[in-house]
Amino acid sequence: MRLRTLVIDAWSWLNYKPVMADPDRPANSRAFPELAGSWVPAADMRRLAAYKLLAAYDSNQAGQLAAVTGDHHGLERRELGDPSKLIDTTLGYLLGAEQTIVVPGADHAGNDKPSGGAAQAADLQERLRAWADKELWPLRIQQAERCAVRCGDGVFTLAWEPAKQRVLLRTYDPGFYFPEWDDGEQDSSEYPARVHFAWELPADPVRGLKARVRRITYELGPIGAATQPGVTEDGRAIREQVVGAEGDPVLTVGDTLDAVTGAVQRTYPWAPGRPSTTTCYLSDAEWLLEDLGAAHDLYSLPPDKASYRVRSDGQVLHRLDLMCDFIPVVHVPNTIPDGGEHWGKSSLGTVLQLLDELAATDTDSASASATTGTPIVSLAGARLPIDRTTGQPLPVRVEAGTVWQLSDSGRMDALDTSAQLAELRQRIDHMLTRLAANTRLTTAGLGSLDPASVPSGYALQLALGPLDSLVGAMRLARAHKYQLLLRMVQRLHQAGQVWPAGESLPARLVWGAHTPTDRTTVLADVVSGYGAGVFSLETAVRMLQEAGYPIDEVAGEVERIQKRAFDQAARLADATGDNAAVRDYLGLPEADLVPTVPLIPTQPGQPASDAVPTSPAQATPLPPVATGRAGAGGVGPS
């Protein structure tokens, strides 16, 4: 490789592979036949080849891929699932025990004097969690995140479904994802103005379908006139402008025309008082491969050859106005991208050669174990059995119960390869230890550390330090992405007019603990900290929830605790003298008003304590007062 051909990019860690050696056209026609199509952009060839190569490692097919590219020993390669184990282990630590949607301020909605917006935050949190339950949120996260850990990138898409009246969450293979930036864009980490999803559909002779390319496009653009489904002269479904009686374009209901600029404006539910001139258009079309030439690629497919799809509600997906000013697609990188970079890095990236060495050692170990279990035997002076038909000695095999008759000077020697097998096993252990160190999963994280060799819990915590930093960096790369996704979910429901309009509230995804937590220590900290008044009850309950205690909702748990906090209620009564506040603290209903014992007016010269009514008419009732001390059921002080 000459210096001029040395390429350093997001996938240069694969340059040692022959299939990736050519920076201009890395796709081998035998290894990657689907990448040989003319519609695949040349700039994306290395990325797509890297995705397929990593998928081969995940499915124990790296040897088959090597055999296709010219390695004659590739089919003999032993692959024992180490790459897949690394992916699944990393994914497990990344996701933690659970994933929870949290809206800041929602836990304080049940307080006596909640902060401004607490009720709105609690309502949004409940809506998001109900939506996540319907859309199988944990399952979708695992689908996308496993792709991200393996390939370096994962993709979520959101789409409003009129029939279900909610947003649908879907995941795509990153090999189908093609973002497009405008000319002159300096930072590709910025959100693209156009996003494509494209893949090839094979021919189906039974149904009479030819090989096709399907492309789904999301594009930001200026708001235009209203459109409706139509048909071209050759029968293709398209969208056409709606015109009025005088032939003028008609605007969508709610849009206005700025008389100064001539631009169409729209006020979205999440931005009241701030008109926007931008919307997102969706197109979903297919092209026959035979209609595409060498000059056509994904970004320049001929529009006159497109066959647009029709949605279930009859809308033609040809620049369909989605009534939102953002692209409902979220790209999730596995790592924090470098400056100006868009793509993440696979968790297998830096240790791929180490995995190759491990597979080669496993192959050698299998060969050595074969000669150790069935050794090679050398015989001298033995009388071998003769084939009576040919008169030639029969092949000799070492089997249980075999007896050879040797002459006086005969000798039998066996080749002992157990020492080589032991050395190969030690090499495998060494490579696994190095693999744990280089991936930062640590031997404790991979489960190969003997628990008896750990002197204390603090020593184990120090051993898991690299794993903590790895998980922290991976979650940091995803924090903003999931905030963006939850904001889009909220706005699409507002655009569908099923959630109340208003400014978008921040929502985030809280990951569970990725390592075992000492619950006893956390509980002791909570008891001492809350008892000393260092932090609130809400914070204490959240600490217990993050430690793994079975607490479904912080606000509900706080309410249940307060209903039984009679000592705190008594102190509240002594401090305020407000019985209504005490009953509200305990979650009790307002007390009914009860009459007090009427006082009998005294007669002249008679003490009030000695007055005894002589008849009911002498008793003058007084206005009733509220009940007394909370929880006692008595009357108030006279």
Side-chain angles (χ1 to χ4, degrees):
M1 177 179 292
R2 302 185 306 274
L3 183 61
R4 184 178 297 273
T5 61
L6 178 61
V7 177
I8 299 179
D9 58 6
W11 301 277
S12 56
W13 39 271
L14 278 173
N15 284 348
Y16 78 99
K17 290 288 185 180
V19 74
M20 297 288 290
D22 187 358
D24 297 325
R25 196 72 177 176
N28 185 290
S29 59
R30 296 178 59 196
F32 306 136
E34 67 276 11
L35 299 185
S38 60
W39 65 271
V40 180
D44 294 287
M45 294 294 295
R46 282 174 60 82
R47 177 173 67 92
L48 299 183
Y51 289 162
K52 184 165 184 180
L53 193 141
L54 291 168
Y57 274 85
D58 183 24
S59 56
N60 285 351
Q61 291 180 294
Q64 298 179 23
L65 185 62
V68 170
T69 56
D71 186 355
H72 302 293
H73 302 285
L75 296 179
E76 301 175 2
R77 180 173 177 171
R78 294 291 190 273
E79 299 179 71
L80 307 182
D82 294 296
S84 180
K85 178 187 177 183
L86 284 179
I87 294 172
D88 293 335
T89 303
T90 306
L91 177 65
Y93 286 121
L94 167 66
L95 298 180
E98 59 182 357
Q99 305 86 45
T100 308
I101 298 176
V102 174
V103 179
D107 296 338
H108 303 284
N111 294 351
D112 297 337
K113 295 181 179 180
S115 58
Q120 185 180 3
D123 178 67
L124 176 60
Q125 178 174 277
E126 183 179 355
R127 291 177 182 271
L128 287 175
R129 290 181 177 179
W131 166 82
D133 183 61
K134 294 179 181 178
E135 284 301 305
L136 306 177
W137 174 258
L139 175 64
R140 301 298 183 190
I141 288 181
Q142 290 219 17
Q143 287 178 340
E145 290 296 353
R146 198 177 192 283
C147 279
V149 172
R150 181 188 65 199
C151 300
D153 305 286
V155 183
F156 287 103
T157 63
L158 299 169
W160 176 253
E161 177 55 47
K164 296 183 179 180
Q165 288 292 292
R166 72 169 186 266
V167 175
L168 301 184
L169 177 66
R170 295 295 181 264
T171 61
Y172 274 92
D173 188 286
F176 300 157
Y177 171 66
F178 298 89
E180 184 179 358
W181 289 268
D182 294 334
D183 295 337
E185 181 65 54
Q186 297 297 322
D187 190 359
S188 59
S189 62
E190 293 292 334
Y191 210 86
R194 193 177 299 103
V195 170
H196 306 281
F197 291 94
W199 60 92
E200 190 170 317
L201 300 174
D204 188 353
V206 177
R207 300 171 56 192
L209 299 177
K210 299 181 180 180
R212 315 173 304 284
V213 174
R214 183 180 177 185
R215 188 186 73 180
I216 303 175
T217 301
Y218 296 88
E219 181 179 6
L220 294 178
I223 301 174
T227 59
Q228 63 183 1
V231 180
T232 61
E233 296 179 355
D234 55 356
R236 293 185 300 112
I238 61 170
R239 298 192 69 82
E240 55 187 12
Q241 282 190 351
V242 179
V243 296
E246 299 180 357
D248 297 331
V250 178
L251 299 182
T252 305
V253 178
D255 294 351
T256 58
L257 182 65
D258 190 341
V260 178
T261 62
V264 181
Q265 295 182 344
R266 179 183 300 161
T267 300
Y268 291 103
W270 51 87
R274 298 194 302 272
S276 174
T277 60
T278 304
T279 188
C280 180
Y281 295 100
L282 170 64
S283 299
D284 188 353
E286 295 179 0
W287 285 262
L288 296 178
L289 285 182
E290 62 185 26
D291 292 337
L292 304 181
H296 298 137
D297 64 4
L298 174 67
Y299 305 118
S300 60
L301 296 177
D304 58 327
K305 300 292 185 180
S307 176
Y308 294 98
R309 292 201 168 202
V310 180
R311 205 167 60 180
S312 58
D313 58 353
Q315 294 290 347
V316 179
L317 301 181
H318 173 212
R319 288 186 61 83
L320 175 65
D321 191 346
L322 296 181
M323 306 297 292
C324 60
D325 57 352
F326 56 88
I327 296 178
V329 176
V330 178
H331 165 250
V332 180
N334 184 51
T335 58
I336 300 175
D338 295 335
E341 188 58 68
H342 181 76
W343 308 104
K345 187 176 183 179
S346 169
S347 296
L348 303 181
T350 55
V351 295
L352 208 59
Q353 296 190 45
L354 187 55
L355 291 172
D356 288 339
E357 291 290 333
L358 187 59
T361 307
D362 286 333
T363 304
D364 295 340
S365 178
S367 300
S369 63
T371 58
T372 301
T374 306
I376 301 175
V377 178
S378 173
L379 295 175
R383 297 180 181 178
L384 301 179
I386 302 297
D387 188 345
R388 297 181 179 181
T389 304
T390 62
Q392 300 296 326
L394 293 174
V396 179
R397 296 180 59 86
V398 179
E399 297 177 355
T402 303
V403 177
W404 288 297
Q405 184 178 1
L406 304 178
S407 62
D408 295 340
S409 60
R411 188 178 71 255
M412 181 181 68
D413 299 319
L415 180 62
D416 185 9
T417 59
S418 59
Q420 290 83 352
L421 180 60
E423 180 64 26
L424 287 173
R425 289 179 175 175
Q426 291 181 5
R427 175 174 169 79
I428 291 175
D429 294 339
H430 166 72
M431 297 182 71
L432 288 176
T433 303
R434 189 164 183 176
L435 186 68
N438 290 354
T439 57
R440 292 193 292 171
L441 290 175
T442 71
T443 55
L446 287 177
S448 57
L449 178 65
D450 184 9
S453 62
V454 181
S456 64
Y458 183 70
L460 178 61
Q461 186 176 359
L462 291 178
L464 292 173
L467 176 60
D468 295 338
S469 64
L470 171 66
V471 173
M474 295 177 69
R475 292 181 175 180
L476 178 61
R478 292 159 169 80
H480 172 68
K481 299 294 184 177
Y482 282 102
Q483 292 179 9
L484 182 64
L485 187 146
L486 293 174
R487 187 184 308 132
M488 290 181 180
V489 170
Q490 180 182 355
R491 292 184 174 182
L492 288 176
H493 280 95
Q494 290 176 330
Q497 300 181 358
V498 295
W499 287 10
E503 295 284 348
S504 301
L505 297 180
R508 58 190 177 92
L509 182 66
V510 176
W511 309 89
H514 62 281
T515 54
T517 306
D518 190 353
R519 293 188 178 183
T520 304
T521 302
V522 174
L523 181 60
D525 294 341
V526 166
V527 172
S528 60
Y530 176 66
V534 177
F535 42 73
S536 65
L537 180 59
E538 289 80 4
T539 303
V541 174
R542 182 167 295 281
M543 290 175 61
L544 295 177
Q545 185 186 46
E546 294 177 354
Y549 283 89
I551 299 175
D552 296 331
E553 188 178 1
V554 175
E557 190 70 18
V558 170
E559 182 180 357
R560 287 188 290 271
I561 292 175
Q562 289 181 346
K563 286 182 178 180
R564 297 167 177 82
F566 301 112
D567 292 338
Q568 288 84 348
R571 290 198 296 268
L572 178 62
D574 295 337
T576 62
D578 189 350
N579 295 326
V582 174
R583 297 184 69 87
D584 182 68
Y585 177 84
L586 292 173
L588 299 175
E590 295 182 1
D592 297 331
L593 298 179
V594 298
T596 60
V597 178
L599 298 178
I600 307 303
T602 61
Q603 298 179 359
Q606 181 182 5
S609 58
D610 297 335
V612 178
T614 58
S615 66
Q618 293 179 310
T620 304
L622 297 179
V625 298
T627 56
R629 188 180 183 88
V635 298
S638 59

